[in-house]
Amino acid sequence: MLGGLALAAGLTALTTPVLVGLMRSGAGLAGGVTLLVLLTLHIRFVTETPVRRAGAWWIVAVQAWLTYLPLAVFGAAWTPVFALLSGALLVMAARIGSVVLVALALVCGPVVLAAPDGVMIDTAWVLAAPLLGVVEYTMVALARRIRSLTEARADVMRKAVALERRRFTRDLHDLVGHRLTVLVLKAQLVQRLVDEGDTRAGGEAKETLELLRDLSADVRAVAHGLRSSSLAAELGSARSLLESVRVRCQIKVSCRDLPGDVEEALTHALREGVTNVLRHAEARECSIQLLERDRLVRLTIRNDGVRPPRRPCDSGQWERGQGLLNLAERVSILGGWLEATSSRPGLFTFNAYVPLDN
């Protein structure tokens, strides 16, 4: 915007003396039409974004013709337009990287001083043409630079918005989806205990209510990007949850004080793995191991009770859903990877590997 306004102001300041001189010489109409055509071509050339390196040569050629030829008709009043030709040549020189065009831009005005009829030339304007051309080129280059930076900034903002949207949907799915799965299981357990007249129903109902409160707090934290994960807390939660639905859980941890990003990725992996045990298996036993060897941390979740696949192409317990895609994205950023295998019928093993040096 500012570059365009500066260019418009410069062209106005340059063409006003031309129009005044043409009016004084009695060639106002013809000179005005010629100047309008020249300005139209010039503005189109200096403001366009060239697709091909030599795509606008014809505009420069016509502008040169409209600069030199009318000089014989309109005389000294026409000499300020040499600044326009000088600016156009500098713009073209910058586009194709030509030193020859720079030299032509600097001499296109002063060269007419060699004309035999000096009355036809305004010496001051001719000598000033190269300087005015440089000024115009600087304004054009500045305007393009500003436009380029504006577009780059808008692109960065669009990418930032997309990344934030991706973070929000990923965290919402990974965290809230897990909480909802737990709540459904808890509600089913409470209903079964109530039907059986078990005194544990009241305690389970209280835990369900606490889970609902945690879910509300988690949603607010995700919305504000304040969610922080604790692997130790998630391990305790996983044991408590699995045992509450009568799954025997064994946990073995041999590494402590993990980097924050590694701990967060493994926390999500643990949460996703436990969720899949609860959703897609009728497990009776589940073991969770967190081991480190050669600067590589491995989280292993192994469970029995895997249901047979519904379709031949399915992998049984582990379905390639949004949770797996989110988790694969998280660990791949850290240079890690996932593995899921069935070692024997009904037994499923999920591994998440994350290097400490990433």
Side-chain angles (χ1 to χ4, degrees):
M1 176 67 75
L2 293 177
L5 291 175
L7 180 61
L11 290 176
T12 301
L14 183 66
T15 56
T16 299
V18 178
L19 291 174
V20 172
L22 290 172
M23 295 293 292
R24 289 176 179 174
S25 64
L29 181 58
V33 172
T34 307
L35 183 61
L36 179 61
V37 174
L38 177 61
L39 281 176
T40 302
L41 290 173
H42 182 75
I43 293 173
R44 174 183 172 183
F45 173 71
V46 298
T47 58
E48 73 176 355
T49 302
V51 178
R52 295 175 300 173
R53 294 181 61 170
W57 271 112
W58 69 272
I59 298 180
V60 180
V62 173
Q63 183 173 340
W65 183 74
L66 290 175
T67 300
Y68 286 102
L69 189 61
L71 187 64
V73 179
F74 304 130
W78 194 250
T79 49
V81 301
F82 280 99
L84 300 178
L85 180 59
S86 178
L89 288 171
L90 288 173
V91 170
M92 177 59 84
R95 289 179 182 175
I96 66 174
S98 173
V99 179
V100 175
L101 284 180
V102 174
L104 289 176
L106 297 178
V107 302
C108 67
V111 73
V112 298
L113 292 174
D117 190 356
V119 181
M120 297 173 53
I121 301 166
D122 188 325
T123 305
W125 277 109
V126 167
L127 294 176
L131 178 60
L132 295 175
V134 171
V135 172
E136 183 186 44
Y137 166 74
T138 303
M139 290 189 294
V140 170
L142 214 61
R144 286 184 178 166
R145 183 63 176 168
I146 292 173
R147 184 171 64 229
S148 175
L149 291 175
T150 302
E151 292 174 355
R153 181 183 178 186
D155 187 55
V156 169
M157 292 178 65
R158 283 193 297 268
K159 289 180 179 179
V161 170
L163 287 174
E164 179 62 17
R165 186 183 294 116
R166 172 65 182 148
R167 179 205 66 80
F168 179 78
T169 55
R170 184 183 61 191
D171 289 354
L172 195 64
H173 176 277
D174 293 350
L175 183 60
V176 176
H178 171 75
R179 296 290 194 201
L180 290 176
T181 298
V182 174
L183 283 169
V184 170
L185 291 172
K186 282 288 188 180
Q188 292 173 346
L189 178 61
V190 169
Q191 183 178 9
R192 186 172 71 248
L193 293 176
V194 169
D195 292 341
E196 296 173 354
D198 197 317
T199 56
R200 292 185 300 160
E204 293 294 338
K206 290 181 180 178
E207 288 186 13
T208 303
L209 182 60
E210 189 63 31
L211 282 171
L212 284 170
R213 293 194 182 100
D214 291 342
L215 176 61
S216 176
D218 288 337
V219 170
R220 288 194 298 269
V222 169
H224 294 88
L226 301 177
R227 177 67 185 175
S228 59
S229 301
S230 170
L231 185 55
E234 197 64 36
L235 285 168
S237 176
R239 181 196 294 275
S240 175
L241 174 60
L242 289 170
E243 291 181 347
S244 71
V245 293
R246 300 176 183 177
V247 178
R248 183 184 176 190
C249 180
Q250 295 181 343
I251 297 179
K252 179 181 179 181
V253 178
S254 66
C255 55
R256 305 287 181 182
D257 301 326
L258 296 173
D261 51 355
V262 174
E263 181 174 352
E264 183 177 3
L266 291 173
T267 300
H268 284 286
L270 174 62
R271 187 180 298 127
E272 185 66 24
V274 172
T275 300
N276 276 276
V277 173
L278 298 174
R279 269 186 191 164
H280 305 299
E282 297 173 352
R284 290 294 175 264
E285 292 187 1
C286 179
S287 65
I288 301 173
Q289 293 183 344
L290 187 63
L291 309 174
E292 178 197 343
R293 179 177 295 177
D294 299 329
R295 304 296 293 170
L296 181 67
V297 180
R298 185 190 70 190
L299 171 68
T300 301
I301 302 175
R302 184 178 291 109
N303 65 276
D304 61 1
V306 178
R307 304 188 188 108
R310 291 170 293 182
R311 299 186 301 271
C313 60
D314 286 343
S315 60
Q317 176 175 324
W318 194 267
E319 296 183 353
R320 194 172 183 82
Q322 188 61 45
L324 177 59
L325 295 176
N326 290 345
L327 184 55
E329 179 182 341
R330 289 181 188 275
V331 298
S332 64
I333 292 175
L334 301 176
W337 66 93
L338 307 176
E339 288 181 357
T341 58
S342 296
S343 56
R344 59 183 173 83
L347 186 64
F348 185 82
T349 302
F350 164 65
N351 292 305
Y353 297 89
V354 180
L356 293 179
D357 302 319
N358 54 72

